[in-house]
Amino acid sequence: MIIEAKENTVILKGVKCLDLALTLDCGQAFRWEKEKDGSWSGAAFGKFLNIRKNENGDLILKTTLNDFNTVWSHYFDLDRDYAEICEKLKEDRLVSSTIDEYYGIRILNQEPWEALVSFVISQQNNIKRIKGIIKRLCDTYGEKINNEWHAFPSAEALSRLTVEDFEALGAGYRGKYIKKLADDVASGVINLDEIKKMNLEDAKKALLDIYGVGIKVANCALLFGFQFIECFPVDVWMKRVLAFYPNGLPECFKGYEGIAQQYLFHWARNNLK
DNA sequence: GTCCAGGCATGCA
DNA sequence: TGCATGCATGGA
């Protein structure tokens, strides 16, 4: 990968296996919006980003070199060799066809807090509504980044709200979960930094202790927010997919179950039902 | 009107 | 341990 930086623009040449639409709009992150010019805008780690691919396949990031190095490079998981991982995953026939069709899905490295809250909201919900709730949450209670964008609100900010405030955003019965989670993170009863240092088993136990977090939400948070790429979240779509694997997951998924999962999830939403 | 969505807590056997 | 039920909301 070659990095070129001009003022407020970073150009990446030679990045393999990164399709922006597939990666930013596949149900792992909920804040990315497609612009009229085909680029994508979003926010993470308190920073705004606009990103697009030009006709040469180069990635054009509207950001500073410093923010690229400290935030976006890791956010897009650029140090991981997805081309090589995909070759291995393609030993499985179904995943092979999904990778051929949807090549370029990456797992984003999101903030633990944002991922955890987002997937608490996601339960028994659909992606369109999830995005709406999270947008209203950020626009109303997140710190302003620029004229249009707000950061994902901190636990401290959300702990000042009431259950009714979350319900007013459309969160429904999940409001009470978000309220308690925000209170416990803000007060230190739950320490996400400590959880991030744990091994998978301990981290999963810690997340499952949280009110409103079950095995599915825990696995999504671990995969998308705590960088456990071997997690394999199973929701209603993935339950349908699992019917294709009566003997369990194939050996070639080993260590990269989360990536295989995201291809299968996308395929299921487009092909099953 | 009914069904469903990146499920979970609760009560009960 | 496993299973049934209720739960907020809006789009299909």
Side-chain angles (χ1 to χ4, degrees):
Chain A
M1 178 180 74
I2 299 169
I3 305 170
E4 292 177 6
K6 302 173 183 173
E7 46 182 313
N8 291 320
T9 302
V10 172
I11 301 171
L12 306 179
K13 297 176 187 289
V15 174
K16 293 181 193 168
C17 194
L18 172 51
D19 183 295
L20 292 174
L22 289 173
T23 297
L24 297 174
D25 201 24
C26 69
Q28 62 173 319
F30 302 100
R31 296 205 65 199
W32 292 93
E33 296 178 7
K34 191 169 188 178
E35 304 283 3
K36 286 173 184 163
D37 65 1
S39 67
W40 290 84
S41 292
F45 293 85
K47 304 283 186 180
F48 168 79
L49 179 70
N50 176 268
I51 182 169
R52 67 184 171 90
K53 224 177 223 193
N54 71 12
E55 55 280 0
N56 300 323
D58 302 335
L59 291 162
I60 315 294
L61 290 76
K62 293 293 181 189
T63 186
T64 63
L65 182 59
N66 185 58
D67 283 352
F68 171 75
N69 286 327
T70 57
V71 174
W72 302 114
S73 180
H74 185 242
Y75 184 83
F76 285 97
D77 212 13
L78 295 181
D79 289 334
R80 199 186 301 276
D81 189 343
Y82 277 75
E84 183 181 330
I85 295 167
C86 283
E87 282 310 305
K88 182 165 160 52
L89 294 177
K90 286 176 82 167
E91 289 172 23
D92 176 69
R93 197 166 168 181
L94 176 55
V95 169
S96 180
S97 69
T98 65
I99 289 178
D100 285 341
E101 191 172 359
Y102 305 116
Y103 188 66
I105 297 179
R106 280 174 175 255
I107 301 298
L108 300 168
N109 291 131
Q110 302 179 61
E111 286 183 275
W113 165 246
E114 175 172 342
L116 187 52
V117 174
S118 295
F119 282 96
V120 166
I121 291 170
S122 81
Q123 63 185 86
Q124 190 63 21
N125 210 338
N126 62 66
I127 291 176
K128 185 178 167 68
R129 274 198 77 233
I130 297 163
K131 290 177 86 165
I133 294 165
I134 291 174
K135 177 171 173 50
R136 291 189 289 278
L137 181 73
C138 295
D139 288 350
T140 312
Y141 301 110
E143 282 192 34
K144 197 172 161 118
I145 300 175
N146 61 27
N147 284 336
E148 284 183 69
W149 287 83
H150 296 252
F152 193 90
S154 67
E156 291 72 21
L158 295 189
S159 70
R160 291 182 218 114
L161 307 183
T162 64
V163 173
E164 290 71 25
D165 291 329
F166 295 114
E167 290 171 349
L169 297 170
Y173 70 92
R174 307 163 196 84
K176 56 185 180 291
Y177 302 152
I178 307 168
K179 171 59 181 167
K180 175 144 178 58
L181 178 56
D183 284 349
D184 286 348
V185 171
S187 71
V189 170
I190 295 170
N191 187 328
L192 300 181
D193 292 332
E194 287 301 315
I195 293 175
K196 195 169 177 184
K197 293 176 192 163
M198 295 176 184
N199 62 41
L200 176 57
E201 186 187 357
D202 291 341
K204 188 175 287 189
K205 274 185 194 165
L207 293 183
L208 287 173
D209 279 340
I210 296 171
Y211 183 50
V213 175
I215 189 65
K216 156 63 173 62
V217 170
N219 274 318
C220 279
L222 289 165
L223 173 59
F224 301 124
F226 291 84
Q227 278 118 68
F228 287 102
I229 205 144
E230 65 269 46
C231 285
F232 191 89
V234 177
D235 70 331
V236 292
W237 295 104
M238 292 307 296
K239 279 178 186 161
R240 294 162 191 157
V241 170
L242 286 181
F244 292 79
Y245 296 97
N247 301 316
L249 299 182
E251 184 67 23
C252 69
F253 286 10
K254 207 73 184 171
Y256 302 103
E257 288 86 346
I259 298 174
Q261 185 272 169
Q262 202 57 17
Y263 276 99
L264 291 168
F265 173 73
H266 191 72
W267 171 77
R269 283 181 20 101
N270 283 293
N271 294 281
L272 300 182
K273 181 58 177 56

